[in-house]
Every structure is written in C-alpha cells, then in structure tokens.
Amino acid sequence: MRRNNLIGILLLFLFCSCTGDKKANTESKTEKESNTVQNDLVQLTAEQFKNAGIQTGVAVQKEMNATLNVNGLTEAPPENVFSITVPLGGFIKKTNLIPGMMVRKGSVLASMEDQKYILLQQDYLAAKNKLKFAEADYARQKGLNLTKATSDKIFQQTESEFNQQKILLSSLAEQLRLIGLNPAALSDKNISRTIQIYAPIDAYVTKVNVNSGKYVNPADVLFELINPRKLHLSLTVLENDASRLKEGQKIICYSNKDPEKKYHATIHLITPNIEDDRSTSVHCDLENSGRELLPGTYMNATIKLENATVTALPEEALVKWEGKFYVFTDQGQYRYKMINVQPGVSTAGFTEIKSALPEKSIVLKNAYALLMKMKNGGE
C-alpha cells in the first residue's frame, strides 16, 4: 500500500514538471513571435512620453524649389545613326573594319566586286553611243521635215527615239552613282568589276555584319556607324512627376564612372504616353557631351522644379537608420509605428516627402527618442 502511494506521487511530480516546461516553452515562443511581428512598433508609458517631449501633427503643403532625381541612358538620334547597304549587292572583296574603329568621312569601308557592275557600265556606254546616233538622226530628220522632204510621222518617230535614249542614259547614270561610280569619267578603257563603299560621315563603327568573300543582297546591312558628338539623353520619369516638367527645362546630369564631371542638358520632348509601369520617357539635348560619353551610358540627372507645392515635414520628424529614412506615426495609447519614407529637398527646416503618408498623426518632434527606445531599449 505504501509502495503504491510512493509511485503515484512520483508520477504526479513528473506530470507537473512536463506541463510547466511545455507552458514555459509556449510562452517563450509566443513572446518571440510577437517581437518578430511587431518590430516596427514602440510602446511608451505615460511617464516616458512626458519625459521625451514628443509632439505630433500632420504633414503640410509647402512651396519649395524642389529637385527631381531621375536616371536614364544616352542615345544617338536617328540622324546620327547610319546603316550602310549596297543597292546592287555583290561579293565583299576586302574590309578591315572592326567594331569600335573611328572612320573619317570619305574613307573606304569596303571594296566589292560582281558581274552586275560590269554589265551596268557596259549598258551605260552602249546607251551613250546610241544617244549620239539618235541625236544625229534627230537633227537630220528635223532639217528634212522643215523642207517637207520627209513626213511628219517619220520625224516624230525619230524625236521619240531620241528622247527615250536620253531617258535611258540618264537612268543608267543614276544607277552608276548609286554604287559610287562617276558616269562622266567612265569610258571603254576603265570599266571595272570593283566598286568602293565610302563612309558618309565621321563616325564610330558599332556593327560589322560581313567578312571578305561574303555575298550580300541589296537589303543587307553591311555596317552600322554612329556619330557620338550629338547625343541625346532619354530619362525615365514617373507619371506623377512628368506633369511637373516642361520643354526647355534645364537638367544637370553625370555618369557613374565620373560623378564629378557634370553635363548640362535641356528637355526637348516629353513623350505623351504612360507605359505599363506608370512612367514616361523624357528626351533631352546634351549640350556639352564629349567623346568619353558613348551611346547607352547610364546617367543620373537632377531636374530643378521651380515653385513646386510639395508635401513636407519638419526635419526633426525624420530619423535615419541603416541608410534609410523613417517617420513615426501615432497609433494611439502611446504606441508608435515606424514607416519608411523617401525624402526630397530640404528648405528652411522642412524636408520634402516624396512617398505617400498614411492618414495618421506623425511625430514631428523628438522622433529620435523613439528610435533609441526601439533599437536600444532605452528609457
């Protein structure tokens, strides 16, 4: 009997011990989860609130000479990009171009050869000789017609053949000019199977699509050239900010490679269309771009907005933590929630707030006291 009572007491002790450990673990886990979920909240007592000197209020609308920070890419305007083609096609005889090379206007990009070039020159010289005969026959028939020694019909036929031959010769001459041959200098002694392709401008070679021995068709692009001296700047601007811009506005921009080097630009065109990401493109003329800027360079830009009405808070309302800016909103019962904001320019003790703010009172003074309490557990 006594032995049975002892066993019962031991079992009851073990049960209570297990139950207590389980309850302690549950409470610890709950407390940990609560801290994880509410790590952006801070709770004060009435005494702590009084000692911290916290003041709350709402954001105000102020007129500021604000700035807008955006980014984009440099690009060459269409009139400075050249795609080199050959109207008659042919075989590439020789080219020494590689991407990145600088070429001068009038320099040889490639030489080509084909039987079509020979036939075109042959047709031109034959048409030229026929025109001489047609012209002489026309003059003869015109004289005979004046004396009525020949009929009007024969004279009209001769005149028509003479005019048709002139049209044919003019057409063939233009075809020769298309492939870079001068019809005035062509004779039976200098017929060539080779033509030269010349650079139309001073430019950089950005694409080379051919090699020696390759046959190209009239629609094929052999090379692409870009003149980088007149670059444009294409900026990406959000929908809400685009309405604050206008053509002729001045911009200061710089590249990541050399932030100290400042470039000036002027807004040339604002695209009247909003993309799916709620942004639009703003095209600007670069005023002092040099050869160090190439098409496709990533650029940062600052745009001055004159007398813009913006949402602003006192500078004391913002706190900085780990490289980001925050404000505290009043949740009631001495509880405050920290939210991330994007600041703009600061003027006369106020800072522009670019991000949307919740419709709650905001801590305007001594916000750093809340940050210290939250991060360090200070009183």
Side-chain angles (χ1 to χ4, degrees), residues 274-287:
I274 303 299
E275 302 294 338
D276 294 338
D277 60 354
R278 314 314 304 168
S279 69
T280 187
S281 297
V282 177
H283 300 277
C284 311
D285 295 325
L286 279 168
E287 299 173 3

Side-chain angles (χ1 to χ4, degrees), residues 31 36-37 47 94 162:
E31 181 180 359
T36 301
V37 173
E47 184 179 357
K94 182 181 179 182
F162 173 56

Side-chain angles (χ1 to χ4, degrees), residues 139-351:
R140 183 171 56 253
Q141 293 296 334
K142 184 177 182 181
L144 292 174
N145 184 258
L146 290 175
T147 60
K148 299 303 179 181
T150 185
S151 66
D152 291 341
K153 181 179 179 180
I154 294 177
F155 171 68
Q156 290 171 356
Q157 288 178 341
T158 304
E159 183 181 26
S160 175
E161 291 175 1
F162 173 56
N163 289 334
Q164 288 180 2
Q165 200 61 35
K166 285 197 297 183
I167 294 171
L168 176 60
L169 187 67
S170 179
S171 173
L172 292 171
E174 289 301 317
Q175 293 182 52
L176 287 173
R177 293 187 181 97
L178 274 176
I179 60 175
L181 296 177
N182 183 9
L186 183 62
S187 69
D188 59 342
K189 300 183 183 300
N190 61 1
I191 295 177
S192 175
R193 65 181 182 181
T194 304
I195 63 171
Q196 308 292 337
I197 303 174
Y198 301 98
I201 57 167
D202 294 344
Y204 286 97
V205 180
T206 56
K207 291 183 182 179
V208 178
N209 301 324
V210 296
N211 53 267
S212 298
K214 183 177 181 178
Y215 182 83
V216 294
N217 295 302
D220 293 340
V221 176
L222 282 63
F223 313 103
E224 187 174 280
L225 309 180
I226 288 183
N227 179 5
R229 294 186 179 180
K230 295 181 180 180
L231 291 178
H232 284 183
L233 178 62
S234 179
L235 300 175
T236 301
V237 179
L238 294 178
E239 176 184 5
N240 293 337
D241 295 326
S243 60
R244 303 161 71 181
L245 304 181
K246 61 182 179 180
E247 295 179 6
Q249 218 162 351
K250 298 297 182 180
I251 293 174
I252 298 176
C253 54
Y254 59 90
S255 65
N256 290 338
K257 181 180 179 181
D258 187 8
E260 300 301 322
K261 173 66 175 177
K262 304 299 182 184
Y263 300 92
H264 299 276
T266 304
I267 294 180
H268 173 72
L269 175 68
I270 301 173
T271 304
N273 181 54
I274 303 299
E275 302 294 338
D276 294 338
D277 60 354
R278 314 314 304 168
S279 69
T280 187
S281 297
V282 177
H283 300 277
C284 311
D285 295 325
L286 279 168
E287 299 173 3
N288 60 330
S289 62
R291 292 186 175 180
E292 70 279 0
L293 281 185
L294 298 176
T297 302
Y298 184 87
M299 301 290 286
N300 303 285
T302 301
I303 307 174
K304 290 184 178 180
L305 305 175
E306 298 295 335
N307 297 324
T309 301
V310 299
T311 301
L313 288 172
E315 293 179 358
E316 286 188 78
L318 278 78
V319 296
K320 189 175 183 180
W321 176 259
E322 296 182 345
K324 296 182 179 180
F325 289 88
Y326 299 88
V327 297
F328 286 91
T329 59
D330 190 352
Q331 304 294 308
Q333 302 296 320
Y334 304 122
R335 297 180 71 209
Y336 302 92
K337 183 176 182 180
M338 187 171 72
I339 62 171
N340 179 237
V341 294
Q342 181 184 0
V345 296
S346 296
T347 304
F350 281 83
T351 299

Side-chain angles (χ1 to χ4, degrees), residues 29-40:
K29 184 176 180 182
T30 303
E31 181 180 359
K32 184 176 180 181
E33 289 178 353
S34 177
N35 291 336
T36 301
V37 173
Q38 299 184 354
N39 59 1
D40 59 347

Side-chain angles (χ1 to χ4, degrees), residues 74-114:
T74 57
E75 58 183 20
E79 63 267 22
N80 285 355
V81 180
F82 288 80
S83 297
I84 307 300
T85 59
V86 179
L88 293 184
F91 291 92
I92 300 293
K93 183 179 180 181
K94 182 181 179 182
T95 181
N96 297 322
L97 296 186
I98 57 175
M101 288 182 61
M102 176 70 183
V103 294
R104 297 294 180 184
K105 182 178 180 179
S107 61
V108 176
L109 301 179
S111 57
M112 299 184 63
E113 59 182 9
D114 196 86

